[in-house]
Amino acid sequence: MNQLMSCATEEVSADVFGTESAPAETLPGALPAALRAELVAFRRDLHMHPELGNQEFRTTAAIKARLEQAGLAPRVLASGTGLVCDIGEPGGARPMLALRADIDALPIPDTKLGVPYRSTVPDRAHACGHDVHTTVVLGAGLVFADLARKGQLPFPVRLIFQPAEEVLPGGAADAIKDGVLDGVGKIIAVHCDPRVDAGRIGLRHGPITSACDRLEVSLDGPGGHTARPHLTTDLVTAVAKVATDVPALVARRADARSGLSLTWGRIESGHAPNVIPQHAELSGTVRCLDLRAWRQAPELVHGAIQEIADLYRAKSEVNYVRGVPPVVNDGAVADLLRDAMIERRGPHSVEDTEQSLGGEDFSWYLEHVPGAMARLGVRKPGERTVRDLHQGDFDADESAITVGVELFTAAALLDAARE
């Protein structure tokens, strides 16, 4: 742990609520100042030490140590990173509510200026808010542990700290194989949204993210001199046509309402201005709003690439990597989150949100149990600049941590009261 983390931890007594008492409220679980300060310090410590998917050893150790300090017994996942932790007395036939966080970072540089918690790891950054997600679930776990000691946690809950969300097809599938959903009846999560003010969440029934797959294409030909393109395969023209024409073909061969979109992120070919190369590569992503169209996408994409490559006498090889389906929010669980947020922050703290073209492997959990994801507002109220996700200058208004913790604790308590 760094000094910032250690200092913040020392300010909090063994009881996570310290000497402070929670304010009068309909539901218990509000955060006192000491715990809020500790969680901000924990988030900053993670932010300074980002780790890529399946490499989150320090992050896992930090989470484990804090949960054990609270008297809990977390289990590290079989992959070696990530954890699962149950809180409360087991028993009865009632399935548990699970809270999920993703713990990995991105392979991009942190370009923020003037903040003491900027990443200390070159070309690594928590630019998607996973440090916030992790801290929110940790904070909820500390509150639940305190409520359980007081006999105020009616049913057990489960914390899931999942690795490798950014690595297609996502670490969720491995976590599920490791049994994190055994005994779980529903699951909830949040994702940072820099377009929503801190203090608010965005919700919707049904799809809230898109499907996302990865596409890698190789084109090959005999090569030759640029003076005689008619005697060989003009591979640069071929790869340019694949880059421009395949997305258009795919879009025209899918229902426009499906939002099927192919976007390239990399194209490489050639080394000299007067040599027609023998090899070219493209890679990108295929995104889709509709589950049915997502299932048809590989066939459509393969067909379009083959058609264009044949036109230019190029040999094509396609590696279509299935990623994640859309996150489809269960209506009843989304309503639980809405009611919980209103209970904590009032009716104006919830706004309707749109379906995005971003992918999220939380969708794999929803193939097994009902659940919902809310967009957690992290924009400083009144700020006009939107610090977009997956950008090196992304940052979050840290008051969102308290909002997320209180949302999750209210959701768990309301869920228990409704059974």
Side-chain angles (χ1 to χ4, degrees):
M1 296 289 171
N2 68 3
Q3 186 176 5
L4 174 65
M5 179 72 181
S6 301
C7 291
T9 302
E10 289 170 3
E11 294 175 0
V12 184
S13 66
D15 182 344
V16 298
F17 290 106
T19 58
E20 299 187 39
S21 58
E25 53 181 352
T26 304
L27 291 173
L31 273 69
L35 182 54
R36 290 198 299 270
E38 182 193 0
L39 293 177
V40 167
F42 192 92
R43 179 259 170 171
R44 292 184 176 189
D45 180 72
L46 296 185
H47 201 87
M48 292 171 66
H49 301 91
E51 297 173 300
L52 300 184
N54 295 316
Q55 301 173 24
E56 312 96 331
F57 296 104
R58 184 187 186 280
T59 303
T60 297
I63 300 165
K64 183 174 183 286
R66 188 60 186 93
L67 292 173
E68 289 176 340
Q69 182 185 341
L72 301 172
R75 172 177 68 87
V76 177
L77 299 181
S79 61
T81 61
L83 311 95
V84 60
C85 182
D86 292 347
I87 305 172
E89 291 297 325
R94 184 186 188 276
M96 284 183 288
L97 173 70
L99 283 57
R100 176 268 198 173
D102 38 12
I103 66 174
D104 57 325
L106 287 162
I108 63 175
D110 188 338
T111 60
K112 291 189 298 298
L113 300 174
V115 296
Y117 49 86
R118 184 179 176 182
S119 172
T120 60
V121 184
D123 299 320
R124 302 288 186 268
H126 269 295
C128 197
H130 293 190
D131 54 335
V132 174
H133 307 163
T134 299
T135 305
V136 165
V137 173
L138 173 67
L142 298 180
V143 173
F144 289 140
D146 186 79
L147 293 176
R149 286 194 294 269
K150 296 174 180 177
Q152 296 178 343
L153 186 65
F155 296 102
V157 295
R158 175 169 293 168
L159 314 180
I160 300 171
F161 297 92
Q162 176 214 302
E165 190 276 331
E166 298 286 356
V167 183
L168 288 178
D174 289 336
I176 292 168
K177 290 177 184 177
D178 201 8
V180 300
L181 289 182
D182 295 349
V184 169
K186 57 177 70 78
I187 187 168
I188 55 178
V190 293
H191 197 295
C192 289
D193 191 335
R195 301 165 302 169
V196 178
D197 283 351
R200 298 170 62 86
I201 63 169
L203 273 174
R204 66 179 282 123
H205 287 196
I208 192 170
T209 70
S210 79
C212 180
D213 299 333
R214 188 174 74 245
L215 180 63
E216 298 168 348
V217 182
S218 296
L219 298 179
D220 291 285
H225 199 290
T226 56
R228 293 176 289 277
H230 59 291
L231 298 180
T232 187
T233 296
D234 186 354
L235 208 62
V236 172
T237 298
V239 74
K241 287 296 185 178
V242 168
T244 57
D245 291 359
V246 168
L249 277 176
V250 169
R252 284 295 176 264
R253 293 174 181 178
D255 189 327
R257 295 170 295 181
S258 71
L260 184 61
S261 172
L262 194 171
T263 304
W264 305 107
R266 182 181 70 92
I267 181 169
E268 293 184 16
S269 184
H271 300 284
N274 62 341
V275 177
I276 296 174
Q278 296 178 319
H279 183 74
E281 294 181 358
L282 307 92
S283 58
T285 60
V286 179
R287 299 177 186 272
C288 186
L289 301 174
D290 178 74
L291 191 58
R292 179 180 298 179
W294 178 66
R295 290 175 176 144
Q296 299 170 343
E299 182 179 353
L300 286 176
V301 171
H302 273 270
I305 291 171
Q306 186 68 53
E307 189 173 323
I308 300 300
D310 287 349
L311 185 63
Y312 289 89
R313 296 180 298 177
K315 180 182 177 181
S316 65
E317 183 175 329
V318 179
N319 181 26
Y320 194 107
V321 182
R322 269 304 197 194
V324 294
V327 172
V328 181
N329 280 350
D330 177 83
V333 183
D335 287 343
L336 173 66
L337 290 174
R338 182 181 299 273
D339 294 343
M341 190 65 178
I342 290 172
E343 180 73 29
R344 293 295 196 201
R345 299 273 167 164
H348 300 296
S349 63
V350 183
E351 61 184 60
D352 293 333
T353 193
E354 61 190 15
Q355 183 182 5
S356 81
L357 277 170
E360 235 290 350
D361 75 350
F362 184 68
S363 55
W364 291 123
Y365 298 104
L366 305 189
E367 297 281 303
H368 300 270
V369 296
M373 171 175 281
R375 301 197 194 283
L376 180 66
V378 295
R379 181 177 62 194
K380 186 177 180 63
E383 185 176 18
R384 295 184 178 181
T385 302
V386 175
R387 301 176 186 272
D388 203 5
L389 300 172
H390 288 218
Q391 299 295 319
D393 66 346
F394 171 79
D395 204 355
D397 185 321
E398 292 172 318
S399 67
I401 296 170
T402 296
V403 176
V405 173
E406 294 185 351
L407 168 68
F408 278 160
T409 55
L413 295 171
L414 285 177
D415 184 50
R418 292 173 179 179
E419 290 292 328

